Amino acid sequence: MESLNYDKMSKYYDETRIFNQNCFNKAIDYIVKRFPPNIYKKLFEPGIGTGRISIPLALRGYNIYGIDISTEMLKILQKRLDQIKNINFVYKKADATKIPYNTNEFNLAIIVYLFYFIKEWKKAVNEIIRVVDGPIILMHTGYGEEVPFLNERYKQLSEKFGFSIKNIGVKSTKEVVTYLENLGYQTEWIKDKWKWKSHIQLNEAIDYLEKRAYSFSTFPPEDIHVKVIRNLRNEIKAKYGKIEESIEVTNQVYFGIVQKKPS
Ligand SMILES: C[S@@+](CC[C@H](N)C(=O)[O-])C[C@H]1O[C@@H](n2cnc3c(N)ncnc32)[C@H](O)[C@@H]1O
């Protein structure tokens, strides 16, 4: 598989990838203040999805240019755009490893988890630095409706029942940052500013796993997936006495801002 297209996950995307609105708004304020839209006018988002990040940025004055390989994610984006007037927003169905834009076309980029889903992620990085003449913001948005230990257990059980879930692209953003640093870029981490705690119901988190709402859960064949979900439910019941237990998850929005080193 060259890239993971989010078509199958699109149905549950927006309801599962939620964040604390106040923290998100403050993080957006930070971007707007540091890279004002009157100077960094043309903002590129490869892997734009449903516009979760770029629509709020467009409302703050950026001219947005997005690409994505998922027709279904882009359909949802279009529905959202239909409800909004007076924003500058252009998107295309295109692959980040072959970006249909000119060199140095954009002033700023924002990217959310994209390199995890592209086998030839270095090719995508090379393409992005070709078209962006300015800072590249690598954004982390938190866990949404996910529970990290359940995700890990899902992967372990899948392996136990005979299907090993492999990474498609990078295992962590650090790999992307190291690659860019070797190309003469520097990174500044903006962390621990926008944190919150969410309370997630384990049964609901398992329901979303069952619906294969997350990238790793799209891979196992149906028979193994069904067995994994059944086991997860039994394990939670055995541990908490009931499946409706709620768990606290610590979240934050943070950025790695990558820029060319001054020469
Ligand atoms: C985690 S989602 C992020 C969506 C959006 N940026 C957000 O934060 O809500 C990753 C997106 O990257 C897209 N994608 C995966 N491989 C891609 C590629 N090679 N080129 C362009 N988009 C890609 C997927 O279809 C998906 O919409």
Side-chain angles (χ1 to χ4, degrees):
M1 180 187 295
E2 297 300 320
S3 287
L4 181 67
N5 171 325
Y6 264 51
D7 278 352
K8 283 192 200 146
M9 284 171 274
S10 63
K11 192 170 170 201
Y12 303 108
Y13 190 82
D14 285 336
E15 67 188 68
T16 48
R17 275 63 168 191
I18 50 170
F19 36 57
N20 177 288
Q21 201 57 50
N22 185 41
C23 289
F24 179 73
N25 290 345
K26 287 195 172 138
I28 296 289
D29 287 346
Y30 180 93
I31 294 176
V32 171
K33 193 162 177 219
R34 179 132 178 221
F35 306 114
N38 58 329
I39 300 171
Y40 297 86
K41 191 81 193 149
K42 294 176 89 177
L43 193 161
F44 180 53
E45 188 183 2
I48 195 165
T50 61
R52 181 178 72 128
I53 311 298
S54 274
I55 290 177
L57 286 165
L59 292 169
R60 303 295 290 272
Y62 295 98
N63 289 3
I64 302 295
Y65 297 79
I67 59 165
D68 205 293
I69 51 167
S70 164
T71 308
E72 295 306 318
M73 293 290 271
L74 292 176
K75 270 190 201 160
I76 297 171
L77 169 63
Q78 186 55 53
K79 274 196 194 141
R80 295 177 75 180
L81 291 176
D82 289 344
Q83 312 294 316
I84 306 167
K85 287 198 181 80
N86 299 327
I87 55 167
N88 291 301
F89 207 110
V90 179
Y91 67 85
K92 291 182 184 176
K93 186 176 175 187
D95 196 311
T97 60
K98 202 166 180 275
I99 299 176
Y101 281 107
N102 294 330
T103 300
N104 294 339
E105 175 105 31
F106 305 111
N107 311 118
L108 182 65
I110 192 155
I111 306 173
V112 184
Y113 307 122
L114 174 69
F115 304 105
Y116 292 80
F117 313 115
I118 306 179
K119 189 173 172 201
E120 292 184 288
W121 63 269
K122 287 183 185 167
K123 209 168 161 185
V125 173
N126 293 344
E127 273 291 85
I128 291 162
I129 59 177
R130 178 182 67 76
V131 299
V132 180
D133 182 25
I136 296 169
I137 303 169
L138 303 174
M139 183 177 194
H140 289 251
T141 57
Y143 292 110
E145 287 290 322
E146 292 175 68
V147 175
F149 85 80
L150 279 182
N151 290 356
E152 278 322 301
R153 193 64 190 137
Y154 180 99
K155 291 174 195 169
Q156 284 169 2
L157 287 169
S158 180
E159 170 107 48
K160 183 176 159 194
F161 298 136
F163 185 86
S164 166
I165 299 169
K166 301 266 187 296
N167 295 301
I168 302 169
V170 297
K171 284 189 209 69
S172 87
T173 305
K174 186 87 188 64
E175 283 176 69
V176 180
V177 164
T178 304
Y179 179 68
L180 280 163
E181 286 174 353
N182 287 332
L183 293 176
Y185 285 72
Q186 61 192 12
T187 315
E188 180 190 353
W189 292 101
I190 314 292
K191 281 191 177 179
D192 301 325
K193 276 178 170 292
W194 309 296
K195 286 184 164 181
W196 73 96
K197 291 195 189 306
S198 53
H199 294 91
I200 310 288
Q201 285 261 337
L202 292 173
N203 56 323
E204 286 173 10
I206 297 175
D207 288 348
Y208 279 124
L209 281 169
E210 185 170 29
K211 290 168 180 160
R212 301 186 187 253
Y214 307 113
S215 54
F216 59 88
S217 66
T218 60
F219 301 127
E222 188 59 18
D223 56 332
I224 292 184
H225 177 72
V226 168
K227 247 164 109 178
V228 169
I229 297 295
R230 195 186 310 128
N231 272 261
L232 268 181
R233 288 209 172 93
N234 289 340
E235 285 183 7
I236 295 302
K237 224 172 175 174
K239 186 167 174 192
Y240 297 99
K242 57 181 176 44
I243 187 90
E244 294 82 11
E245 190 66 26
S246 164
I247 196 145
E248 187 172 273
V249 180
T250 304
N251 279 288
Q252 66 166 314
V253 173
Y254 69 91
F255 306 129
I257 301 178
V258 188
Q259 304 199 61
K260 256 186 217 147
K261 272 192 195 146
S263 47

